[in-house]
PDB file of all heavy atoms in Angstrom:
ATOM      1  N   LEU A  13     -15.494  82.276 -81.887  1.00  0.00           N
ATOM      2  CA  LEU A  13     -14.946  82.570 -80.543  1.00  0.00           C
ATOM      3  C   LEU A  13     -13.521  82.126 -80.417  1.00  0.00           C
ATOM      4  O   LEU A  13     -12.639  82.871 -79.785  1.00  0.00           O
ATOM      5  CB  LEU A  13     -15.808  81.893 -79.524  1.00  0.00           C
ATOM      6  CG  LEU A  13     -15.471  82.083 -78.005  1.00  0.00           C
ATOM      7  CD1 LEU A  13     -15.603  83.561 -77.685  1.00  0.00           C
ATOM      8  CD2 LEU A  13     -16.423  81.312 -77.128  1.00  0.00           C
ATOM      9  N   ALA A  14     -13.061  81.122 -80.897  1.00  0.00           N
ATOM     10  CA  ALA A  14     -11.694  80.578 -80.829  1.00  0.00           C
ATOM     11  C   ALA A  14     -10.789  81.601 -81.659  1.00  0.00           C
ATOM     12  O   ALA A  14      -9.654  81.797 -81.161  1.00  0.00           O
ATOM     13  CB  ALA A  14     -11.600  79.140 -81.410  1.00  0.00           C
ATOM     14  N   PHE A  15     -11.386  82.017 -82.752  1.00  0.00           N
ATOM     15  CA  PHE A  15     -10.477  82.890 -83.510  1.00  0.00           C
ATOM     16  C   PHE A  15     -10.188  84.185 -82.752  1.00  0.00           C
ATOM     17  O   PHE A  15      -9.084  84.673 -82.811  1.00  0.00           O
ATOM     18  CB  PHE A  15     -11.254  83.231 -84.873  1.00  0.00           C
ATOM     19  CG  PHE A  15     -10.542  84.315 -85.638  1.00  0.00           C
ATOM     20  CD1 PHE A  15      -9.304  84.055 -86.371  1.00  0.00           C
ATOM     21  CD2 PHE A  15     -11.003  85.647 -85.749  1.00  0.00           C
ATOM     22  CE1 PHE A  15      -8.762  84.979 -87.181  1.00  0.00           C
ATOM     23  CE2 PHE A  15     -10.412  86.551 -86.410  1.00  0.00           C
ATOM     24  CZ  PHE A  15      -9.303  86.286 -87.154  1.00  0.00           C
ATOM     25  N   TYR A  16     -11.329  84.704 -82.241  1.00  0.00           N
ATOM     26  CA  TYR A  16     -11.063  85.978 -81.398  1.00  0.00           C
ATOM     27  C   TYR A  16     -10.151  85.769 -80.148  1.00  0.00           C
ATOM     28  O   TYR A  16      -9.342  86.656 -79.816  1.00  0.00           O
ATOM     29  CB  TYR A  16     -12.457  86.503 -80.899  1.00  0.00           C
ATOM     30  CG  TYR A  16     -13.265  87.084 -82.033  1.00  0.00           C
ATOM     31  CD1 TYR A  16     -14.585  86.544 -82.229  1.00  0.00           C
ATOM     32  CD2 TYR A  16     -12.772  88.152 -82.828  1.00  0.00           C
ATOM     33  CE1 TYR A  16     -15.352  87.200 -83.277  1.00  0.00           C
ATOM     34  CE2 TYR A  16     -13.590  88.540 -83.915  1.00  0.00           C
ATOM     35  CZ  TYR A  16     -14.803  88.159 -84.050  1.00  0.00           C
ATOM     36  OH  TYR A  16     -15.576  88.721 -85.101  1.00  0.00           O
ATOM     37  N   LEU A  17     -10.299  84.572 -79.494  1.00  0.00           N
ATOM     38  CA  LEU A  17      -9.427  84.345 -78.387  1.00  0.00           C
ATOM     39  C   LEU A  17      -8.002  84.256 -78.753  1.00  0.00           C
ATOM     40  O   LEU A  17      -7.048  84.815 -78.170  1.00  0.00           O
ATOM     41  CB  LEU A  17      -9.798  82.950 -77.692  1.00  0.00           C
ATOM     42  CG  LEU A  17     -11.164  83.018 -76.938  1.00  0.00           C
ATOM     43  CD1 LEU A  17     -11.506  81.618 -76.412  1.00  0.00           C
ATOM     44  CD2 LEU A  17     -11.076  83.978 -75.770  1.00  0.00           C
ATOM     45  N   VAL A  18      -7.801  83.577 -79.937  1.00  0.00           N
ATOM     46  CA  VAL A  18      -6.343  83.511 -80.483  1.00  0.00           C
ATOM     47  C   VAL A  18      -5.807  84.903 -80.836  1.00  0.00           C
ATOM     48  O   VAL A  18      -4.788  85.254 -80.547  1.00  0.00           O
ATOM     49  CB  VAL A  18      -6.282  82.552 -81.704  1.00  0.00           C
ATOM     50  CG1 VAL A  18      -4.910  82.591 -82.380  1.00  0.00           C
ATOM     51  CG2 VAL A  18      -6.575  81.143 -81.305  1.00  0.00           C
ATOM     52  N   ALA A  19      -6.717  85.719 -81.432  1.00  0.00           N
ATOM     53  CA  ALA A  19      -6.247  87.068 -81.857  1.00  0.00           C
ATOM     54  C   ALA A  19      -5.918  87.961 -80.588  1.00  0.00           C
ATOM     55  O   ALA A  19      -5.091  88.748 -80.549  1.00  0.00           O
ATOM     56  CB  ALA A  19      -7.410  87.717 -82.566  1.00  0.00           C
ATOM     57  N   ILE A  20      -6.831  87.777 -79.492  1.00  0.00           N
ATOM     58  CA  ILE A  20      -6.637  88.509 -78.252  1.00  0.00           C
ATOM     59  C   ILE A  20      -5.305  87.952 -77.643  1.00  0.00           C
ATOM     60  O   ILE A  20      -4.510  88.888 -77.223  1.00  0.00           O
ATOM     61  CB  ILE A  20      -7.731  88.283 -77.369  1.00  0.00           C
ATOM     62  CG1 ILE A  20      -9.023  88.900 -77.828  1.00  0.00           C
ATOM     63  CG2 ILE A  20      -7.373  88.853 -75.909  1.00  0.00           C
ATOM     64  CD1 ILE A  20     -10.251  88.691 -77.044  1.00  0.00           C
ATOM     65  N   VAL A  21      -5.036  86.774 -77.645  1.00  0.00           N
ATOM     66  CA  VAL A  21      -3.726  86.260 -76.992  1.00  0.00           C
ATOM     67  C   VAL A  21      -2.598  86.813 -77.791  1.00  0.00           C
ATOM     68  O   VAL A  21      -1.596  87.222 -77.255  1.00  0.00           O
ATOM     69  CB  VAL A  21      -3.743  84.771 -77.062  1.00  0.00           C
ATOM     70  CG1 VAL A  21      -2.307  84.245 -76.558  1.00  0.00           C
ATOM     71  CG2 VAL A  21      -4.801  84.250 -76.043  1.00  0.00           C
ATOM     72  N   ILE A  22      -2.654  86.786 -79.104  1.00  0.00           N
ATOM     73  CA  ILE A  22      -1.548  87.359 -79.933  1.00  0.00           C
ATOM     74  C   ILE A  22      -1.381  88.805 -79.663  1.00  0.00           C
ATOM     75  O   ILE A  22      -0.192  89.396 -79.538  1.00  0.00           O
ATOM     76  CB  ILE A  22      -1.794  87.051 -81.424  1.00  0.00           C
ATOM     77  CG1 ILE A  22      -1.724  85.532 -81.690  1.00  0.00           C
ATOM     78  CG2 ILE A  22      -0.753  87.794 -82.245  1.00  0.00           C
ATOM     79  CD1 ILE A  22      -2.182  85.204 -83.165  1.00  0.00           C
ATOM     80  N   LEU A  23      -2.500  89.581 -79.609  1.00  0.00           N
ATOM     81  CA  LEU A  23      -2.465  90.969 -79.326  1.00  0.00           C
ATOM     82  C   LEU A  23      -1.810  91.323 -78.017  1.00  0.00           C
ATOM     83  O   LEU A  23      -0.965  92.241 -77.871  1.00  0.00           O
ATOM     84  CB  LEU A  23      -3.870  91.655 -79.371  1.00  0.00           C
ATOM     85  CG  LEU A  23      -3.846  93.161 -79.266  1.00  0.00           C
ATOM     86  CD1 LEU A  23      -3.115  93.832 -80.256  1.00  0.00           C
ATOM     87  CD2 LEU A  23      -5.466  93.606 -79.215  1.00  0.00           C
ATOM     88  N   VAL A  24      -2.175  90.599 -76.944  1.00  0.00           N
ATOM     89  CA  VAL A  24      -1.551  90.770 -75.573  1.00  0.00           C
ATOM     90  C   VAL A  24      -0.160  90.426 -75.609  1.00  0.00           C
ATOM     91  O   VAL A  24       0.677  91.151 -75.076  1.00  0.00           O
ATOM     92  CB  VAL A  24      -2.324  89.789 -74.612  1.00  0.00           C
ATOM     93  CG1 VAL A  24      -1.567  89.834 -73.226  1.00  0.00           C
ATOM     94  CG2 VAL A  24      -3.763  90.290 -74.407  1.00  0.00           C
ATOM     95  N   ALA A  25       0.309  89.384 -76.308  1.00  0.00           N
ATOM     96  CA  ALA A  25       1.787  89.097 -76.339  1.00  0.00           C
ATOM     97  C   ALA A  25       2.492  90.167 -77.140  1.00  0.00           C
ATOM     98  O   ALA A  25       3.619  90.525 -76.704  1.00  0.00           O
ATOM     99  CB  ALA A  25       1.929  87.758 -77.219  1.00  0.00           C
ATOM    100  N   ILE A  26       1.905  90.743 -78.246  1.00  0.00           N
ATOM    101  CA  ILE A  26       2.581  91.855 -78.931  1.00  0.00           C
ATOM    102  C   ILE A  26       2.623  93.078 -77.987  1.00  0.00           C
ATOM    103  O   ILE A  26       3.706  93.721 -77.969  1.00  0.00           O
ATOM    104  CB  ILE A  26       1.828  92.253 -80.240  1.00  0.00           C
ATOM    105  CG1 ILE A  26       1.987  90.976 -81.161  1.00  0.00           C
ATOM    106  CG2 ILE A  26       2.325  93.404 -80.837  1.00  0.00           C
ATOM    107  CD1 ILE A  26       1.120  91.194 -82.389  1.00  0.00           C
ATOM    108  N   LEU A  27       1.574  93.360 -77.261  1.00  0.00           N
ATOM    109  CA  LEU A  27       1.634  94.476 -76.363  1.00  0.00           C
ATOM    110  C   LEU A  27       2.614  94.259 -75.142  1.00  0.00           C
ATOM    111  O   LEU A  27       3.318  95.241 -74.820  1.00  0.00           O
ATOM    112  CB  LEU A  27       0.267  94.806 -75.761  1.00  0.00           C
ATOM    113  CG  LEU A  27      -0.774  95.336 -76.799  1.00  0.00           C
ATOM    114  CD1 LEU A  27      -2.153  95.486 -76.122  1.00  0.00           C
ATOM    115  CD2 LEU A  27      -0.416  96.651 -77.300  1.00  0.00           C
ATOM    116  N   ALA A  28       2.803  93.030 -74.758  1.00  0.00           N
ATOM    117  CA  ALA A  28       3.607  92.831 -73.676  1.00  0.00           C
ATOM    118  C   ALA A  28       5.084  92.917 -74.152  1.00  0.00           C
ATOM    119  O   ALA A  28       5.965  93.424 -73.377  1.00  0.00           O
ATOM    120  CB  ALA A  28       3.452  91.394 -73.141  1.00  0.00           C
ATOM    121  N   SER A  29       5.365  92.662 -75.334  1.00  0.00           N
ATOM    122  CA  SER A  29       6.749  92.855 -75.864  1.00  0.00           C
ATOM    123  C   SER A  29       7.000  94.218 -76.250  1.00  0.00           C
ATOM    124  O   SER A  29       8.092  94.638 -76.405  1.00  0.00           O
ATOM    125  CB  SER A  29       7.008  91.866 -77.021  1.00  0.00           C
ATOM    126  OG  SER A  29       6.094  92.177 -78.086  1.00  0.00           O
ATOM    127  N   ALA A  30       5.897  94.999 -76.476  1.00  0.00           N
ATOM    128  CA  ALA A  30       6.086  96.382 -77.074  1.00  0.00           C
ATOM    129  C   ALA A  30       6.123  97.352 -75.839  1.00  0.00           C
ATOM    130  O   ALA A  30       6.733  98.436 -75.989  1.00  0.00           O
ATOM    131  CB  ALA A  30       5.017  96.805 -77.891  1.00  0.00           C
ATOM    132  N   VAL A  31       5.481  97.074 -74.690  1.00  0.00           N
ATOM    133  CA  VAL A  31       5.475  97.984 -73.558  1.00  0.00           C
ATOM    134  C   VAL A  31       6.354  97.594 -72.505  1.00  0.00           C
ATOM    135  O   VAL A  31       6.428  96.445 -72.094  1.00  0.00           O
ATOM    136  CB  VAL A  31       3.948  97.999 -73.014  1.00  0.00           C
ATOM    137  CG1 VAL A  31       3.877  98.930 -71.812  1.00  0.00           C
ATOM    138  CG2 VAL A  31       2.983  98.480 -74.100  1.00  0.00           C
ATOM    139  N   LYS A  32       7.222  98.485 -72.215  1.00  0.00           N
ATOM    140  CA  LYS A  32       8.185  98.246 -71.049  1.00  0.00           C
ATOM    141  C   LYS A  32       8.045  99.380 -70.014  1.00  0.00           C
ATOM    142  O   LYS A  32       7.877 100.556 -70.385  1.00  0.00           O
ATOM    143  CB  LYS A  32       9.628  98.276 -71.532  1.00  0.00           C
ATOM    144  CG  LYS A  32       9.829  97.196 -72.668  1.00  0.00           C
ATOM    145  CD  LYS A  32       9.717  95.711 -72.150  1.00  0.00           C
ATOM    146  CE  LYS A  32      10.032  94.738 -73.290  1.00  0.00           C
ATOM    147  NZ  LYS A  32       9.846  93.387 -72.786  1.00  0.00           N
ATOM    148  N   ILE A  33       8.258  99.061 -68.751  1.00  0.00           N
ATOM    149  CA  ILE A  33       8.303  99.996 -67.743  1.00  0.00           C
ATOM    150  C   ILE A  33       9.694  99.976 -67.068  1.00  0.00           C
ATOM    151  O   ILE A  33      10.085  98.980 -66.559  1.00  0.00           O
ATOM    152  CB  ILE A  33       7.186  99.808 -66.704  1.00  0.00           C
ATOM    153  CG1 ILE A  33       5.819  99.866 -67.497  1.00  0.00           C
ATOM    154  CG2 ILE A  33       7.252 100.711 -65.587  1.00  0.00           C
ATOM    155  CD1 ILE A  33       4.624  99.403 -66.544  1.00  0.00           C
ATOM    156  N   LEU A  34      10.292 101.142 -66.955  1.00  0.00           N
ATOM    157  CA  LEU A  34      11.601 101.294 -66.336  1.00  0.00           C
ATOM    158  C   LEU A  34      11.451 102.012 -65.086  1.00  0.00           C
ATOM    159  O   LEU A  34      10.754 103.044 -64.998  1.00  0.00           O
ATOM    160  CB  LEU A  34      12.620 102.097 -67.310  1.00  0.00           C
ATOM    161  CG  LEU A  34      12.824 101.342 -68.573  1.00  0.00           C
ATOM    162  CD1 LEU A  34      13.802 102.143 -69.470  1.00  0.00           C
ATOM    163  CD2 LEU A  34      13.459  99.936 -68.390  1.00  0.00           C
ATOM    164  N   ARG A  35      12.190 101.553 -64.054  1.00  0.00           N
ATOM    165  CA  ARG A  35      12.213 102.295 -62.692  1.00  0.00           C
ATOM    166  C   ARG A  35      13.045 103.531 -62.840  1.00  0.00           C
ATOM    167  O   ARG A  35      13.750 103.759 -63.716  1.00  0.00           O
ATOM    168  CB  ARG A  35      12.639 101.357 -61.692  1.00  0.00           C
ATOM    169  CG  ARG A  35      11.786 100.056 -61.451  1.00  0.00           C
ATOM    170  CD  ARG A  35      12.332  99.209 -60.344  1.00  0.00           C
ATOM    171  NE  ARG A  35      11.451  97.983 -60.215  1.00  0.00           N
ATOM    172  CZ  ARG A  35      11.577  96.844 -60.885  1.00  0.00           C
ATOM    173  NH1 ARG A  35      12.497  96.746 -61.718  1.00  0.00           N
ATOM    174  NH2 ARG A  35      10.886  95.853 -60.581  1.00  0.00           N
ATOM    175  N   GLU A  36      12.948 104.294 -61.740  1.00  0.00           N
ATOM    176  CA  GLU A  36      13.736 105.510 -61.695  1.00  0.00           C
ATOM    177  C   GLU A  36      15.185 105.392 -61.910  1.00  0.00           C
ATOM    178  O   GLU A  36      15.904 106.286 -62.454  1.00  0.00           O
ATOM    179  CB  GLU A  36      13.362 106.300 -60.413  1.00  0.00           C
ATOM    180  CG  GLU A  36      13.924 107.716 -60.326  1.00  0.00           C
ATOM    181  CD  GLU A  36      13.389 108.659 -61.371  1.00  0.00           C
ATOM    182  OE1 GLU A  36      12.230 108.530 -61.666  1.00  0.00           O
ATOM    183  OE2 GLU A  36      14.068 109.499 -61.747  1.00  0.00           O
ATOM    184  N   TYR A  37      15.687 104.386 -61.302  1.00  0.00           N
ATOM    185  CA  TYR A  37      17.139 104.009 -61.359  1.00  0.00           C
ATOM    186  C   TYR A  37      17.579 103.251 -62.677  1.00  0.00           C
ATOM    187  O   TYR A  37      18.731 102.786 -62.671  1.00  0.00           O
ATOM    188  CB  TYR A  37      17.669 103.323 -60.100  1.00  0.00           C
ATOM    189  CG  TYR A  37      16.937 102.138 -59.806  1.00  0.00           C
ATOM    190  CD1 TYR A  37      17.319 100.903 -60.359  1.00  0.00           C
ATOM    191  CD2 TYR A  37      15.868 102.055 -58.897  1.00  0.00           C
ATOM    192  CE1 TYR A  37      16.581  99.718 -60.084  1.00  0.00           C
ATOM    193  CE2 TYR A  37      15.130 100.999 -58.555  1.00  0.00           C
ATOM    194  CZ  TYR A  37      15.521  99.780 -59.254  1.00  0.00           C
ATOM    195  OH  TYR A  37      14.829  98.574 -58.886  1.00  0.00           O
ATOM    196  N   GLU A  38      16.697 102.929 -63.533  1.00  0.00           N
ATOM    197  CA  GLU A  38      16.912 102.172 -64.811  1.00  0.00           C
ATOM    198  C   GLU A  38      16.879 103.086 -65.984  1.00  0.00           C
ATOM    199  O   GLU A  38      16.102 104.013 -66.054  1.00  0.00           O
ATOM    200  CB  GLU A  38      15.933 100.962 -64.847  1.00  0.00           C
ATOM    201  CG  GLU A  38      16.180  99.957 -63.790  1.00  0.00           C
ATOM    202  CD  GLU A  38      15.135  98.759 -63.930  1.00  0.00           C
ATOM    203  OE1 GLU A  38      14.052  99.097 -64.444  1.00  0.00           O
ATOM    204  OE2 GLU A  38      15.434  97.686 -63.587  1.00  0.00           O
ATOM    205  N   ARG A  39      17.744 102.559 -66.936  1.00  0.00           N
ATOM    206  CA  ARG A  39      17.661 103.144 -68.340  1.00  0.00           C
ATOM    207  C   ARG A  39      17.543 102.043 -69.293  1.00  0.00           C
ATOM    208  O   ARG A  39      18.167 100.931 -69.065  1.00  0.00           O
ATOM    209  CB  ARG A  39      18.908 104.090 -68.496  1.00  0.00           C
ATOM    210  CG  ARG A  39      18.983 105.245 -67.611  1.00  0.00           C
ATOM    211  CD  ARG A  39      17.851 106.252 -67.859  1.00  0.00           C
ATOM    212  NE  ARG A  39      17.950 107.489 -67.085  1.00  0.00           N
ATOM    213  CZ  ARG A  39      17.490 107.579 -65.794  1.00  0.00           C
ATOM    214  NH1 ARG A  39      16.879 106.548 -65.193  1.00  0.00           N
ATOM    215  NH2 ARG A  39      17.706 108.740 -65.106  1.00  0.00           N
ATOM    216  N   GLY A  40      17.020 102.311 -70.490  1.00  0.00           N
ATOM    217  CA  GLY A  40      16.939 101.263 -71.505  1.00  0.00           C
ATOM    218  C   GLY A  40      17.712 101.669 -72.710  1.00  0.00           C
ATOM    219  O   GLY A  40      17.474 102.789 -73.289  1.00  0.00           O
ATOM    220  N   VAL A  41      18.709 100.819 -73.103  1.00  0.00           N
ATOM    221  CA  VAL A  41      19.461 100.977 -74.295  1.00  0.00           C
ATOM    222  C   VAL A  41      18.733 100.399 -75.467  1.00  0.00           C
ATOM    223  O   VAL A  41      18.606  99.153 -75.448  1.00  0.00           O
ATOM    224  CB  VAL A  41      20.935 100.534 -74.094  1.00  0.00           C
ATOM    225  CG1 VAL A  41      21.686 100.786 -75.490  1.00  0.00           C
ATOM    226  CG2 VAL A  41      21.564 101.217 -72.987  1.00  0.00           C
ATOM    227  N   VAL A  42      18.188 101.075 -76.458  1.00  0.00           N
ATOM    228  CA  VAL A  42      17.290 100.569 -77.514  1.00  0.00           C
ATOM    229  C   VAL A  42      18.119 100.402 -78.755  1.00  0.00           C
ATOM    230  O   VAL A  42      18.982 101.224 -79.129  1.00  0.00           O
ATOM    231  CB  VAL A  42      16.129 101.437 -77.702  1.00  0.00           C
ATOM    232  CG1 VAL A  42      15.214 100.903 -78.840  1.00  0.00           C
ATOM    233  CG2 VAL A  42      15.318 101.724 -76.379  1.00  0.00           C
ATOM    234  N   PHE A  43      17.879  99.157 -79.331  1.00  0.00           N
ATOM    235  CA  PHE A  43      18.611  98.819 -80.613  1.00  0.00           C
ATOM    236  C   PHE A  43      17.380  98.533 -81.697  1.00  0.00           C
ATOM    237  O   PHE A  43      16.523  97.851 -81.425  1.00  0.00           O
ATOM    238  CB  PHE A  43      19.410  97.491 -80.568  1.00  0.00           C
ATOM    239  CG  PHE A  43      20.535  97.732 -79.578  1.00  0.00           C
ATOM    240  CD1 PHE A  43      20.484  97.424 -78.234  1.00  0.00           C
ATOM    241  CD2 PHE A  43      21.684  98.231 -80.117  1.00  0.00           C
ATOM    242  CE1 PHE A  43      21.431  97.631 -77.407  1.00  0.00           C
ATOM    243  CE2 PHE A  43      22.892  98.345 -79.253  1.00  0.00           C
ATOM    244  CZ  PHE A  43      22.715  98.064 -77.933  1.00  0.00           C
ATOM    245  N   THR A  44      17.475  99.216 -82.873  1.00  0.00           N
ATOM    246  CA  THR A  44      16.578  99.027 -83.851  1.00  0.00           C
ATOM    247  C   THR A  44      17.159  98.242 -84.985  1.00  0.00           C
ATOM    248  O   THR A  44      18.190  98.676 -85.684  1.00  0.00           O
ATOM    249  CB  THR A  44      16.027 100.334 -84.465  1.00  0.00           C
ATOM    250  OG1 THR A  44      15.452 101.035 -83.399  1.00  0.00           O
ATOM    251  CG2 THR A  44      15.098 100.052 -85.621  1.00  0.00           C
ATOM    252  N   LEU A  45      16.749  96.946 -85.238  1.00  0.00           N
ATOM    253  CA  LEU A  45      17.431  96.042 -86.172  1.00  0.00           C
ATOM    254  C   LEU A  45      18.879  95.963 -85.952  1.00  0.00           C
ATOM    255  O   LEU A  45      19.740  95.883 -86.866  1.00  0.00           O
ATOM    256  CB  LEU A  45      17.068  96.463 -87.590  1.00  0.00           C
ATOM    257  CG  LEU A  45      15.681  96.512 -87.989  1.00  0.00           C
ATOM    258  CD1 LEU A  45      15.512  97.048 -89.384  1.00  0.00           C
ATOM    259  CD2 LEU A  45      15.048  95.121 -87.947  1.00  0.00           C
ATOM    260  N   GLY A  46      19.219  95.928 -84.703  1.00  0.00           N
ATOM    261  CA  GLY A  46      20.639  95.712 -84.390  1.00  0.00           C
ATOM    262  C   GLY A  46      21.452  97.011 -84.151  1.00  0.00           C
ATOM    263  O   GLY A  46      22.690  96.928 -83.717  1.00  0.00           O
ATOM    264  N   ARG A  47      20.992  98.177 -84.552  1.00  0.00           N
ATOM    265  CA  ARG A  47      21.714  99.368 -84.504  1.00  0.00           C
ATOM    266  C   ARG A  47      21.203 100.197 -83.353  1.00  0.00           C
ATOM    267  O   ARG A  47      19.977 100.137 -82.967  1.00  0.00           O
ATOM    268  CB  ARG A  47      21.531 100.193 -85.827  1.00  0.00           C
ATOM    269  CG  ARG A  47      22.029  99.474 -87.107  1.00  0.00           C
ATOM    270  CD  ARG A  47      21.880 100.451 -88.344  1.00  0.00           C
ATOM    271  NE  ARG A  47      22.639 101.589 -88.177  1.00  0.00           N
ATOM    272  CZ  ARG A  47      23.811 101.837 -88.491  1.00  0.00           C
ATOM    273  NH1 ARG A  47      24.543 100.861 -89.063  1.00  0.00           N
ATOM    274  NH2 ARG A  47      24.515 102.981 -88.331  1.00  0.00           N
ATOM    275  N   PHE A  48      22.164 100.929 -82.717  1.00  0.00           N
ATOM    276  CA  PHE A  48      21.758 101.760 -81.570  1.00  0.00           C
ATOM    277  C   PHE A  48      20.854 102.782 -81.886  1.00  0.00           C
ATOM    278  O   PHE A  48      21.087 103.620 -82.870  1.00  0.00           O
ATOM    279  CB  PHE A  48      23.104 102.268 -80.945  1.00  0.00           C
ATOM    280  CG  PHE A  48      22.884 103.328 -79.782  1.00  0.00           C
ATOM    281  CD1 PHE A  48      22.496 102.759 -78.548  1.00  0.00           C
ATOM    282  CD2 PHE A  48      23.008 104.565 -80.002  1.00  0.00           C
ATOM    283  CE1 PHE A  48      22.253 103.740 -77.590  1.00  0.00           C
ATOM    284  CE2 PHE A  48      22.885 105.518 -78.978  1.00  0.00           C
ATOM    285  CZ  PHE A  48      22.377 105.073 -77.716  1.00  0.00           C
ATOM    286  N   ALA A  49      19.772 102.838 -81.123  1.00  0.00           N
ATOM    287  CA  ALA A  49      18.656 103.803 -81.408  1.00  0.00           C
ATOM    288  C   ALA A  49      18.563 104.959 -80.339  1.00  0.00           C
ATOM    289  O   ALA A  49      17.812 105.797 -80.569  1.00  0.00           O
ATOM    290  CB  ALA A  49      17.415 103.134 -81.648  1.00  0.00           C
ATOM    291  N   GLY A  50      19.165 104.734 -79.226  1.00  0.00           N
ATOM    292  CA  GLY A  50      19.088 105.734 -78.095  1.00  0.00           C
ATOM    293  C   GLY A  50      18.929 105.114 -76.821  1.00  0.00           C
ATOM    294  O   GLY A  50      18.743 103.988 -76.678  1.00  0.00           O
ATOM    295  N   VAL A  51      18.955 105.983 -75.790  1.00  0.00           N
ATOM    296  CA  VAL A  51      18.773 105.631 -74.334  1.00  0.00           C
ATOM    297  C   VAL A  51      17.403 106.187 -73.855  1.00  0.00           C
ATOM    298  O   VAL A  51      17.166 107.416 -74.011  1.00  0.00           O
ATOM    299  CB  VAL A  51      19.792 106.056 -73.432  1.00  0.00           C
ATOM    300  CG1 VAL A  51      19.523 105.649 -72.024  1.00  0.00           C
ATOM    301  CG2 VAL A  51      21.197 105.492 -73.989  1.00  0.00           C
ATOM    302  N   LYS A  52      16.590 105.323 -73.372  1.00  0.00           N
ATOM    303  CA  LYS A  52      15.231 105.806 -72.893  1.00  0.00           C
ATOM    304  C   LYS A  52      14.995 105.400 -71.453  1.00  0.00           C
ATOM    305  O   LYS A  52      15.646 104.602 -70.928  1.00  0.00           O
ATOM    306  CB  LYS A  52      14.122 105.177 -73.776  1.00  0.00           C
ATOM    307  CG  LYS A  52      14.225 105.576 -75.289  1.00  0.00           C
ATOM    308  CD  LYS A  52      13.028 105.006 -76.020  1.00  0.00           C
ATOM    309  CE  LYS A  52      13.108 105.417 -77.495  1.00  0.00           C
ATOM    310  NZ  LYS A  52      11.897 104.783 -78.319  1.00  0.00           N
ATOM    311  N   GLY A  53      14.059 106.216 -70.833  1.00  0.00           N
ATOM    312  CA  GLY A  53      13.676 105.869 -69.494  1.00  0.00           C
ATOM    313  C   GLY A  53      13.988 107.023 -68.566  1.00  0.00           C
ATOM    314  O   GLY A  53      14.694 108.032 -68.920  1.00  0.00           O
ATOM    315  N   PRO A  54      13.463 107.047 -67.331  1.00  0.00           N
ATOM    316  CA  PRO A  54      12.596 105.976 -66.798  1.00  0.00           C
ATOM    317  C   PRO A  54      11.161 106.233 -67.264  1.00  0.00           C
ATOM    318  O   PRO A  54      10.760 107.158 -67.834  1.00  0.00           O
ATOM    319  CB  PRO A  54      12.773 106.146 -65.328  1.00  0.00           C
ATOM    320  CG  PRO A  54      13.052 107.587 -65.170  1.00  0.00           C
ATOM    321  CD  PRO A  54      13.831 107.991 -66.420  1.00  0.00           C
ATOM    322  N   GLY A  55      10.256 105.259 -66.819  1.00  0.00           N
ATOM    323  CA  GLY A  55       8.920 105.417 -67.084  1.00  0.00           C
ATOM    324  C   GLY A  55       8.423 104.406 -68.150  1.00  0.00           C
ATOM    325  O   GLY A  55       9.044 103.309 -68.303  1.00  0.00           O
ATOM    326  N   LEU A  56       7.402 104.754 -68.853  1.00  0.00           N
ATOM    327  CA  LEU A  56       6.744 103.859 -69.786  1.00  0.00           C
ATOM    328  C   LEU A  56       7.420 103.901 -71.102  1.00  0.00           C
ATOM    329  O   LEU A  56       7.620 105.060 -71.679  1.00  0.00           O
ATOM    330  CB  LEU A  56       5.300 104.031 -70.007  1.00  0.00           C
ATOM    331  CG  LEU A  56       4.521 103.309 -70.959  1.00  0.00           C
ATOM    332  CD1 LEU A  56       4.460 101.877 -70.482  1.00  0.00           C
ATOM    333  CD2 LEU A  56       3.094 103.890 -71.196  1.00  0.00           C
ATOM    334  N   ILE A  57       7.864 102.830 -71.788  1.00  0.00           N
ATOM    335  CA  ILE A  57       8.678 102.851 -73.025  1.00  0.00           C
ATOM    336  C   ILE A  57       7.796 101.947 -74.035  1.00  0.00           C
ATOM    337  O   ILE A  57       7.395 100.771 -73.623  1.00  0.00           O
ATOM    338  CB  ILE A  57       9.990 102.194 -72.836  1.00  0.00           C
ATOM    339  CG1 ILE A  57      10.849 102.987 -71.802  1.00  0.00           C
ATOM    340  CG2 ILE A  57      10.807 102.234 -74.186  1.00  0.00           C
ATOM    341  CD1 ILE A  57      11.082 104.448 -71.986  1.00  0.00           C
TER     342      ILE A  57
END
């Protein structure tokens, strides 16, 4: 049970850092390993 809880917490943390929501007036400038990868948004990123 403890192992599953730790796995769930890690998974939630990864999803939280992977999923971003941008408002209509916002844009996201994305960098991949420090290099410019594009401008995204609005919506789910």
Side-chain angles (χ1 to χ4, degrees):
L13 182 60
F15 174 77
Y16 288 127
L17 288 176
V18 171
I20 292 173
V21 170
I22 294 174
L23 181 61
V24 170
I26 293 175
L27 290 176
S29 61
V31 177
K32 303 293 182 183
I33 298 178
L34 298 178
R35 297 179 179 88
E36 184 66 32
Y37 55 83
E38 291 180 328
R39 297 296 183 271
V41 181
V42 180
F43 296 90
T44 301
L45 296 177
R47 296 182 63 86
F48 174 72
V51 178
K52 298 184 179 181
L56 181 65
I57 306 298

